[in-house]
Amino acid sequence: MAQWLEKLAHWYDRRQKLKRPWQELRYVALDIESTGLDPKKHQILSIAWMTIHPPVMHYGNAQYHVFAHGQELELGQSPTIHGLTQQDFLHSSEPRQTFGMLSRALNDAVLVCHHKGMDWRFLKHIEAEYGTPFKPLAVFDTLAFEKNKLERNPQQPIQGGQLTLSACRKRYNLPDYHAHHALTDTLACAELFLAQCYSNENSNRPAISLLKKAAN
């Protein structure tokens, strides 16, 4: 009974916070680069995150970590993979410590990512492997936000490539960045998030209302 009441209290507290104007909340933009899409088979190569207090993005406090997984990574014929070189893997972060930092950063914040499906799968796998909880208030998916926006015009079906991070940014006249580097993509995602929210017809709306527009 006590556990049930605790969960109810947590749900109510979260709900009340999400009813506040979206600019009053704290957000954490995140990007994960990995060797593949399946967290059970593939490994995280790098991860980055950045705190946002709208309209401010905290560049100075951004975190960027690379994981060598205790062995040399074969890059094959390419000198880089996801913007990483062999030299980058010489400065590997300790996973448990890194994920603990991310857990604390996400506490009482809204997670922002481009394509929730992939990033959230890896975070849930980390939870199970390391026992590190990730409990953001909610998740804002910039890809889903853009998809829902484009689908409002049935006269123009969504074409292939229209929902990439780069393509979404172009519609807001944001500069083009080199993709597939965790820190660069985190910055790109944070900028897109702010552009999407401030271009909305009511920029002072409750956070929960904007989150509905970014749901899959």
Side-chain angles (χ1 to χ4, degrees):
M1 185 67 174
Q3 189 177 21
W4 181 84
L5 288 174
E6 184 179 345
K7 287 183 178 180
L8 182 62
H10 176 74
W11 175 87
Y12 180 78
D13 180 61
R14 171 181 168 276
R15 189 80 176 178
Q16 291 304 110
K17 288 174 180 175
L18 292 178
K19 286 182 178 179
R20 291 158 51 188
W22 74 273
Q23 293 140 307
E24 294 183 9
L25 299 185
R26 183 172 62 86
Y27 300 83
V28 175
L30 172 136
D31 184 72
I32 293 173
E33 299 295 339
S34 63
T35 57
L37 301 178
D38 187 346
K40 294 180 180 178
K41 298 178 181 178
H42 303 116
Q43 296 175 313
I44 296 177
L45 297 174
S46 59
I47 188 170
W49 67 88
M50 176 190 299
T51 299
I52 308 166
H53 286 96
V56 179
M57 296 183 294
H58 296 278
Y59 297 95
N61 294 330
Q63 294 287 326
Y64 173 65
H65 299 270
V66 174
F67 306 107
H69 303 285
Q71 58 187 355
E72 288 191 15
L73 189 72
E74 289 294 333
L75 300 184
Q77 297 299 314
S78 174
T80 66
I81 180 171
H82 296 304
L84 296 165
T85 67
Q86 197 75 61
Q87 190 72 19
D88 291 314
F89 292 100
L90 298 178
H91 306 284
S92 176
S93 295
E94 200 285 314
R96 189 176 298 276
Q97 181 180 15
T98 300
F99 299 141
M101 291 169 59
L102 177 58
S103 174
R104 292 188 292 274
L106 288 176
N107 186 42
D108 216 28
V110 174
L111 171 63
V112 178
C113 53
H114 192 75
H115 192 357
K116 170 188 173 181
M118 176 187 164
D119 291 328
W120 193 244
R121 278 200 307 271
F122 273 95
L123 291 180
K124 298 309 288 184
H125 183 74
I126 292 168
E127 272 193 339
E129 184 175 0
Y130 292 94
T132 304
F134 296 117
K135 299 186 180 299
L137 290 174
V139 181
F140 187 104
D141 187 341
T142 54
L143 185 152
F145 184 97
E146 206 63 18
K147 180 174 180 287
N148 292 337
K149 182 178 177 181
L150 293 175
E151 285 179 339
R152 292 177 209 157
N153 185 1
Q155 305 298 325
Q156 295 183 342
I158 298 175
Q159 303 296 319
Q162 279 190 295
L163 295 176
T164 65
L165 181 56
S166 178
C168 292
R169 286 172 56 82
K170 285 181 180 177
R171 284 190 285 275
Y172 295 89
N173 297 313
L174 294 169
D176 192 21
Y177 294 148
H178 294 295
H180 298 306
H181 185 284
L183 186 56
T184 303
D185 282 358
T186 293
L187 169 60
C189 182
E191 290 177 346
L192 176 59
F193 160 72
L194 290 175
Q196 289 173 328
C197 292
Y198 278 112
S199 67
N200 205 267
E201 61 271 15
N202 180 1
S203 61
N204 290 317
R205 64 174 53 212
I208 196 168
S209 176
L210 277 175
L211 285 163
K212 288 179 181 178
K213 292 177 176 289
N216 291 316

